[in-house]
PDB file of all heavy atoms in Angstrom:
ATOM      1  N   ARG A  16       0.820  -1.212   0.000  1.00  0.00           N
ATOM      2  CA  ARG A  16       0.000   0.000   0.000  1.00  0.00           C
ATOM      3  C   ARG A  16       0.855   1.263   0.000  1.00  0.00           C
ATOM      4  O   ARG A  16       0.418   2.316  -0.440  1.00  0.00           O
ATOM      5  CB  ARG A  16      -0.958  -0.007   1.177  1.00  0.00           C
ATOM      6  CG  ARG A  16      -2.131  -0.936   0.949  1.00  0.00           C
ATOM      7  CD  ARG A  16      -3.204  -0.762   2.006  1.00  0.00           C
ATOM      8  NE  ARG A  16      -2.932  -1.462   3.246  1.00  0.00           N
ATOM      9  CZ  ARG A  16      -3.182  -2.744   3.469  1.00  0.00           C
ATOM     10  NH1 ARG A  16      -3.700  -3.487   2.520  1.00  0.00           N
ATOM     11  NH2 ARG A  16      -2.925  -3.294   4.628  1.00  0.00           N
ATOM     12  N   ASP A  17       2.088   1.159   0.481  1.00  0.00           N
ATOM     13  CA  ASP A  17       3.026   2.274   0.425  1.00  0.00           C
ATOM     14  C   ASP A  17       3.623   2.276  -0.972  1.00  0.00           C
ATOM     15  O   ASP A  17       4.501   1.491  -1.289  1.00  0.00           O
ATOM     16  CB  ASP A  17       4.117   2.098   1.481  1.00  0.00           C
ATOM     17  CG  ASP A  17       5.168   3.192   1.430  1.00  0.00           C
ATOM     18  OD1 ASP A  17       4.998   4.150   0.642  1.00  0.00           O
ATOM     19  OD2 ASP A  17       6.154   3.093   2.168  1.00  0.00           O
ATOM     20  N   ASN A  18       3.130   3.145  -1.849  1.00  0.00           N
ATOM     21  CA  ASN A  18       3.510   3.135  -3.261  1.00  0.00           C
ATOM     22  C   ASN A  18       4.995   3.348  -3.505  1.00  0.00           C
ATOM     23  O   ASN A  18       5.480   3.086  -4.593  1.00  0.00           O
ATOM     24  CB  ASN A  18       2.708   4.187  -4.033  1.00  0.00           C
ATOM     25  CG  ASN A  18       1.265   3.789  -4.162  1.00  0.00           C
ATOM     26  OD1 ASN A  18       0.931   2.613  -4.135  1.00  0.00           O
ATOM     27  ND2 ASN A  18       0.405   4.773  -4.293  1.00  0.00           N
ATOM     28  N   SER A  19       5.724   3.849  -2.511  1.00  0.00           N
ATOM     29  CA  SER A  19       7.149   4.098  -2.718  1.00  0.00           C
ATOM     30  C   SER A  19       7.990   2.841  -2.521  1.00  0.00           C
ATOM     31  O   SER A  19       9.180   2.841  -2.784  1.00  0.00           O
ATOM     32  CB  SER A  19       7.637   5.194  -1.770  1.00  0.00           C
ATOM     33  OG  SER A  19       7.567   4.734  -0.424  1.00  0.00           O
ATOM     34  N   ARG A  20       7.378   1.762  -2.060  1.00  0.00           N
ATOM     35  CA  ARG A  20       8.102   0.516  -1.776  1.00  0.00           C
ATOM     36  C   ARG A  20       8.146  -0.368  -3.006  1.00  0.00           C
ATOM     37  O   ARG A  20       7.122  -0.673  -3.599  1.00  0.00           O
ATOM     38  CB  ARG A  20       7.421  -0.251  -0.641  1.00  0.00           C
ATOM     39  CG  ARG A  20       7.200   0.521   0.649  1.00  0.00           C
ATOM     40  CD  ARG A  20       8.498   0.836   1.377  1.00  0.00           C
ATOM     41  NE  ARG A  20       9.256  -0.328   1.743  1.00  0.00           N
ATOM     42  CZ  ARG A  20       9.168  -0.955   2.908  1.00  0.00           C
ATOM     43  NH1 ARG A  20       8.339  -0.528   3.811  1.00  0.00           N
ATOM     44  NH2 ARG A  20       9.902  -2.007   3.144  1.00  0.00           N
ATOM     45  N   THR A  21       9.333  -0.803  -3.390  1.00  0.00           N
ATOM     46  CA  THR A  21       9.464  -1.726  -4.508  1.00  0.00           C
ATOM     47  C   THR A  21       9.381  -3.157  -3.987  1.00  0.00           C
ATOM     48  O   THR A  21       9.479  -3.405  -2.782  1.00  0.00           O
ATOM     49  CB  THR A  21      10.809  -1.546  -5.233  1.00  0.00           C
ATOM     50  OG1 THR A  21      11.867  -1.936  -4.346  1.00  0.00           O
ATOM     51  CG2 THR A  21      11.001  -0.110  -5.704  1.00  0.00           C
ATOM     52  N   ILE A  22       9.228  -4.074  -4.921  1.00  0.00           N
ATOM     53  CA  ILE A  22       9.202  -5.491  -4.554  1.00  0.00           C
ATOM     54  C   ILE A  22      10.504  -5.861  -3.854  1.00  0.00           C
ATOM     55  O   ILE A  22      10.504  -6.583  -2.850  1.00  0.00           O
ATOM     56  CB  ILE A  22       8.962  -6.367  -5.804  1.00  0.00           C
ATOM     57  CG1 ILE A  22       7.508  -6.228  -6.258  1.00  0.00           C
ATOM     58  CG2 ILE A  22       9.291  -7.829  -5.542  1.00  0.00           C
ATOM     59  CD1 ILE A  22       7.166  -6.970  -7.534  1.00  0.00           C
ATOM     60  N   ARG A  23      11.617  -5.349  -4.347  1.00  0.00           N
ATOM     61  CA  ARG A  23      12.920  -5.654  -3.734  1.00  0.00           C
ATOM     62  C   ARG A  23      13.004  -5.097  -2.309  1.00  0.00           C
ATOM     63  O   ARG A  23      13.562  -5.750  -1.420  1.00  0.00           O
ATOM     64  CB  ARG A  23      14.047  -5.100  -4.593  1.00  0.00           C
ATOM     65  CG  ARG A  23      14.214  -5.846  -5.896  1.00  0.00           C
ATOM     66  CD  ARG A  23      15.348  -5.245  -6.725  1.00  0.00           C
ATOM     67  NE  ARG A  23      15.339  -5.733  -8.067  1.00  0.00           N
ATOM     68  CZ  ARG A  23      15.982  -6.813  -8.481  1.00  0.00           C
ATOM     69  NH1 ARG A  23      16.670  -7.519  -7.629  1.00  0.00           N
ATOM     70  NH2 ARG A  23      15.923  -7.194  -9.739  1.00  0.00           N
ATOM     71  N   ASP A  24      12.471  -3.892  -2.099  1.00  0.00           N
ATOM     72  CA  ASP A  24      12.468  -3.311  -0.744  1.00  0.00           C
ATOM     73  C   ASP A  24      11.682  -4.195   0.221  1.00  0.00           C
ATOM     74  O   ASP A  24      12.134  -4.471   1.337  1.00  0.00           O
ATOM     75  CB  ASP A  24      11.828  -1.918  -0.743  1.00  0.00           C
ATOM     76  CG  ASP A  24      12.641  -0.870  -1.480  1.00  0.00           C
ATOM     77  OD1 ASP A  24      13.852  -1.071  -1.665  1.00  0.00           O
ATOM     78  OD2 ASP A  24      12.039   0.154  -1.872  1.00  0.00           O
ATOM     79  N   ILE A  25      10.508  -4.600  -0.229  1.00  0.00           N
ATOM     80  CA  ILE A  25       9.649  -5.438   0.614  1.00  0.00           C
ATOM     81  C   ILE A  25      10.325  -6.776   0.892  1.00  0.00           C
ATOM     82  O   ILE A  25      10.339  -7.265   2.032  1.00  0.00           O
ATOM     83  CB  ILE A  25       8.265  -5.629  -0.032  1.00  0.00           C
ATOM     84  CG1 ILE A  25       7.530  -4.274  -0.108  1.00  0.00           C
ATOM     85  CG2 ILE A  25       7.430  -6.659   0.727  1.00  0.00           C
ATOM     86  CD1 ILE A  25       6.269  -4.299  -0.964  1.00  0.00           C
ATOM     87  N   ALA A  26      10.918  -7.367  -0.144  1.00  0.00           N
ATOM     88  CA  ALA A  26      11.603  -8.654   0.018  1.00  0.00           C
ATOM     89  C   ALA A  26      12.742  -8.534   1.024  1.00  0.00           C
ATOM     90  O   ALA A  26      12.914  -9.406   1.896  1.00  0.00           O
ATOM     91  CB  ALA A  26      12.119  -9.154  -1.324  1.00  0.00           C
ATOM     92  N   ALA A  27      13.509  -7.461   0.933  1.00  0.00           N
ATOM     93  CA  ALA A  27      14.623  -7.261   1.863  1.00  0.00           C
ATOM     94  C   ALA A  27      14.112  -7.130   3.299  1.00  0.00           C
ATOM     95  O   ALA A  27      14.686  -7.708   4.224  1.00  0.00           O
ATOM     96  CB  ALA A  27      15.425  -6.025   1.464  1.00  0.00           C
ATOM     97  N   GLU A  28      13.028  -6.391   3.471  1.00  0.00           N
ATOM     98  CA  GLU A  28      12.486  -6.212   4.825  1.00  0.00           C
ATOM     99  C   GLU A  28      11.965  -7.517   5.406  1.00  0.00           C
ATOM    100  O   GLU A  28      12.144  -7.789   6.586  1.00  0.00           O
ATOM    101  CB  GLU A  28      11.368  -5.165   4.819  1.00  0.00           C
ATOM    102  CG  GLU A  28      10.805  -4.927   6.215  1.00  0.00           C
ATOM    103  CD  GLU A  28       9.911  -3.719   6.304  1.00  0.00           C
ATOM    104  OE1 GLU A  28      10.167  -2.736   5.584  1.00  0.00           O
ATOM    105  OE2 GLU A  28       8.969  -3.757   7.108  1.00  0.00           O
ATOM    106  N   LEU A  29      11.331  -8.329   4.559  1.00  0.00           N
ATOM    107  CA  LEU A  29      10.750  -9.585   5.046  1.00  0.00           C
ATOM    108  C   LEU A  29      11.745 -10.743   5.036  1.00  0.00           C
ATOM    109  O   LEU A  29      11.446 -11.819   5.560  1.00  0.00           O
ATOM    110  CB  LEU A  29       9.528  -9.956   4.200  1.00  0.00           C
ATOM    111  CG  LEU A  29       8.372  -8.959   4.232  1.00  0.00           C
ATOM    112  CD1 LEU A  29       7.242  -9.425   3.341  1.00  0.00           C
ATOM    113  CD2 LEU A  29       7.881  -8.749   5.649  1.00  0.00           C
ATOM    114  N   GLY A  30      12.899 -10.546   4.409  1.00  0.00           N
ATOM    115  CA  GLY A  30      13.907 -11.592   4.367  1.00  0.00           C
ATOM    116  C   GLY A  30      13.546 -12.743   3.439  1.00  0.00           C
ATOM    117  O   GLY A  30      13.877 -13.905   3.716  1.00  0.00           O
ATOM    118  N   VAL A  31      12.848 -12.423   2.335  1.00  0.00           N
ATOM    119  CA  VAL A  31      12.472 -13.440   1.353  1.00  0.00           C
ATOM    120  C   VAL A  31      12.946 -12.978  -0.022  1.00  0.00           C
ATOM    121  O   VAL A  31      13.342 -11.831  -0.198  1.00  0.00           O
ATOM    122  CB  VAL A  31      10.945 -13.690   1.329  1.00  0.00           C
ATOM    123  CG1 VAL A  31      10.462 -14.248   2.665  1.00  0.00           C
ATOM    124  CG2 VAL A  31      10.171 -12.430   0.973  1.00  0.00           C
ATOM    125  N   HIS A  32      12.889 -13.877  -0.986  1.00  0.00           N
ATOM    126  CA  HIS A  32      13.283 -13.548  -2.354  1.00  0.00           C
ATOM    127  C   HIS A  32      12.216 -12.665  -2.986  1.00  0.00           C
ATOM    128  O   HIS A  32      11.036 -12.757  -2.656  1.00  0.00           O
ATOM    129  CB  HIS A  32      13.455 -14.849  -3.160  1.00  0.00           C
ATOM    130  CG  HIS A  32      14.137 -14.641  -4.466  1.00  0.00           C
ATOM    131  ND1 HIS A  32      13.453 -14.315  -5.609  1.00  0.00           N
ATOM    132  CD2 HIS A  32      15.449 -14.685  -4.805  1.00  0.00           C
ATOM    133  CE1 HIS A  32      14.312 -14.180  -6.601  1.00  0.00           C
ATOM    134  NE2 HIS A  32      15.531 -14.401  -6.143  1.00  0.00           N
ATOM    135  N   LYS A  33      12.631 -11.795  -3.906  1.00  0.00           N
ATOM    136  CA  LYS A  33      11.695 -10.880  -4.566  1.00  0.00           C
ATOM    137  C   LYS A  33      10.589 -11.625  -5.295  1.00  0.00           C
ATOM    138  O   LYS A  33       9.462 -11.144  -5.379  1.00  0.00           O
ATOM    139  CB  LYS A  33      12.420  -9.939  -5.518  1.00  0.00           C
ATOM    140  CG  LYS A  33      13.047 -10.621  -6.714  1.00  0.00           C
ATOM    141  CD  LYS A  33      13.730  -9.640  -7.627  1.00  0.00           C
ATOM    142  CE  LYS A  33      14.380 -10.308  -8.797  1.00  0.00           C
ATOM    143  NZ  LYS A  33      13.543 -11.141  -9.615  1.00  0.00           N
ATOM    144  N   ASP A  34      10.878 -12.831  -5.803  1.00  0.00           N
ATOM    145  CA  ASP A  34       9.852 -13.610  -6.496  1.00  0.00           C
ATOM    146  C   ASP A  34       8.729 -14.032  -5.545  1.00  0.00           C
ATOM    147  O   ASP A  34       7.578 -14.146  -5.952  1.00  0.00           O
ATOM    148  CB  ASP A  34      10.458 -14.845  -7.159  1.00  0.00           C
ATOM    149  CG  ASP A  34      11.369 -14.484  -8.329  1.00  0.00           C
ATOM    150  OD1 ASP A  34      11.295 -13.334  -8.809  1.00  0.00           O
ATOM    151  OD2 ASP A  34      12.160 -15.345  -8.745  1.00  0.00           O
ATOM    152  N   VAL A  35       9.070 -14.260  -4.281  1.00  0.00           N
ATOM    153  CA  VAL A  35       8.058 -14.616  -3.284  1.00  0.00           C
ATOM    154  C   VAL A  35       7.113 -13.433  -3.086  1.00  0.00           C
ATOM    155  O   VAL A  35       5.892 -13.592  -3.053  1.00  0.00           O
ATOM    156  CB  VAL A  35       8.717 -15.032  -1.945  1.00  0.00           C
ATOM    157  CG1 VAL A  35       7.686 -15.210  -0.847  1.00  0.00           C
ATOM    158  CG2 VAL A  35       9.530 -16.314  -2.131  1.00  0.00           C
ATOM    159  N   VAL A  36       7.683 -12.232  -2.990  1.00  0.00           N
ATOM    160  CA  VAL A  36       6.861 -11.029  -2.810  1.00  0.00           C
ATOM    161  C   VAL A  36       5.989 -10.813  -4.045  1.00  0.00           C
ATOM    162  O   VAL A  36       4.796 -10.519  -3.925  1.00  0.00           O
ATOM    163  CB  VAL A  36       7.744  -9.795  -2.535  1.00  0.00           C
ATOM    164  CG1 VAL A  36       6.905  -8.514  -2.501  1.00  0.00           C
ATOM    165  CG2 VAL A  36       8.499  -9.977  -1.237  1.00  0.00           C
ATOM    166  N   TYR A  37       6.570 -10.980  -5.225  1.00  0.00           N
ATOM    167  CA  TYR A  37       5.807 -10.823  -6.464  1.00  0.00           C
ATOM    168  C   TYR A  37       4.622 -11.782  -6.481  1.00  0.00           C
ATOM    169  O   TYR A  37       3.495 -11.385  -6.768  1.00  0.00           O
ATOM    170  CB  TYR A  37       6.729 -11.066  -7.665  1.00  0.00           C
ATOM    171  CG  TYR A  37       6.026 -10.984  -8.994  1.00  0.00           C
ATOM    172  CD1 TYR A  37       5.647  -9.760  -9.528  1.00  0.00           C
ATOM    173  CD2 TYR A  37       5.733 -12.133  -9.704  1.00  0.00           C
ATOM    174  CE1 TYR A  37       4.998  -9.685 -10.746  1.00  0.00           C
ATOM    175  CE2 TYR A  37       5.082 -12.065 -10.925  1.00  0.00           C
ATOM    176  CZ  TYR A  37       4.720 -10.840 -11.439  1.00  0.00           C
ATOM    177  OH  TYR A  37       4.070 -10.777 -12.637  1.00  0.00           O
ATOM    178  N   ARG A  38       4.863 -13.053  -6.149  1.00  0.00           N
ATOM    179  CA  ARG A  38       3.783 -14.054  -6.107  1.00  0.00           C
ATOM    180  C   ARG A  38       2.736 -13.688  -5.063  1.00  0.00           C
ATOM    181  O   ARG A  38       1.536 -13.788  -5.308  1.00  0.00           O
ATOM    182  CB  ARG A  38       4.373 -15.438  -5.801  1.00  0.00           C
ATOM    183  CG  ARG A  38       4.294 -16.396  -6.934  1.00  0.00           C
ATOM    184  CD  ARG A  38       4.744 -17.803  -6.587  1.00  0.00           C
ATOM    185  NE  ARG A  38       5.653 -17.972  -5.472  1.00  0.00           N
ATOM    186  CZ  ARG A  38       6.980 -18.001  -5.566  1.00  0.00           C
ATOM    187  NH1 ARG A  38       7.558 -17.865  -6.725  1.00  0.00           N
ATOM    188  NH2 ARG A  38       7.715 -18.167  -4.499  1.00  0.00           N
ATOM    189  N   ASP A  39       3.198 -13.256  -3.900  1.00  0.00           N
ATOM    190  CA  ASP A  39       2.254 -12.871  -2.847  1.00  0.00           C
ATOM    191  C   ASP A  39       1.380 -11.705  -3.297  1.00  0.00           C
ATOM    192  O   ASP A  39       0.181 -11.680  -3.013  1.00  0.00           O
ATOM    193  CB  ASP A  39       2.997 -12.493  -1.555  1.00  0.00           C
ATOM    194  CG  ASP A  39       3.542 -13.696  -0.811  1.00  0.00           C
ATOM    195  OD1 ASP A  39       3.208 -14.848  -1.179  1.00  0.00           O
ATOM    196  OD2 ASP A  39       4.318 -13.491   0.144  1.00  0.00           O
ATOM    197  N   ARG A  40       1.961 -10.749  -4.005  1.00  0.00           N
ATOM    198  CA  ARG A  40       1.174  -9.619  -4.494  1.00  0.00           C
ATOM    199  C   ARG A  40       0.123 -10.082  -5.496  1.00  0.00           C
ATOM    200  O   ARG A  40      -1.011  -9.614  -5.476  1.00  0.00           O
ATOM    201  CB  ARG A  40       2.087  -8.566  -5.121  1.00  0.00           C
ATOM    202  CG  ARG A  40       2.897  -7.809  -4.064  1.00  0.00           C
ATOM    203  CD  ARG A  40       3.913  -6.895  -4.651  1.00  0.00           C
ATOM    204  NE  ARG A  40       3.288  -5.729  -5.257  1.00  0.00           N
ATOM    205  CZ  ARG A  40       3.965  -4.703  -5.732  1.00  0.00           C
ATOM    206  NH1 ARG A  40       5.270  -4.684  -5.673  1.00  0.00           N
ATOM    207  NH2 ARG A  40       3.334  -3.682  -6.267  1.00  0.00           N
ATOM    208  N   LEU A  41       0.504 -11.008  -6.358  1.00  0.00           N
ATOM    209  CA  LEU A  41      -0.460 -11.543  -7.322  1.00  0.00           C
ATOM    210  C   LEU A  41      -1.580 -12.295  -6.612  1.00  0.00           C
ATOM    211  O   LEU A  41      -2.753 -12.143  -6.960  1.00  0.00           O
ATOM    212  CB  LEU A  41       0.235 -12.466  -8.323  1.00  0.00           C
ATOM    213  CG  LEU A  41       1.159 -11.785  -9.327  1.00  0.00           C
ATOM    214  CD1 LEU A  41       1.840 -12.829 -10.202  1.00  0.00           C
ATOM    215  CD2 LEU A  41       0.412 -10.784 -10.174  1.00  0.00           C
ATOM    216  N   VAL A  42      -1.222 -13.116  -5.636  1.00  0.00           N
ATOM    217  CA  VAL A  42      -2.231 -13.862  -4.879  1.00  0.00           C
ATOM    218  C   VAL A  42      -3.146 -12.894  -4.144  1.00  0.00           C
ATOM    219  O   VAL A  42      -4.375 -13.054  -4.144  1.00  0.00           O
ATOM    220  CB  VAL A  42      -1.571 -14.862  -3.901  1.00  0.00           C
ATOM    221  CG1 VAL A  42      -2.576 -15.429  -2.921  1.00  0.00           C
ATOM    222  CG2 VAL A  42      -0.881 -15.981  -4.673  1.00  0.00           C
TER     223      VAL A  42
END
């Protein structure tokens, strides 16, 4: 919801791969 956050930023914060975040966003 924070539009300034990229998938890579979110992945780094959560400690997961960017592909996991991408999939989670799609789901």
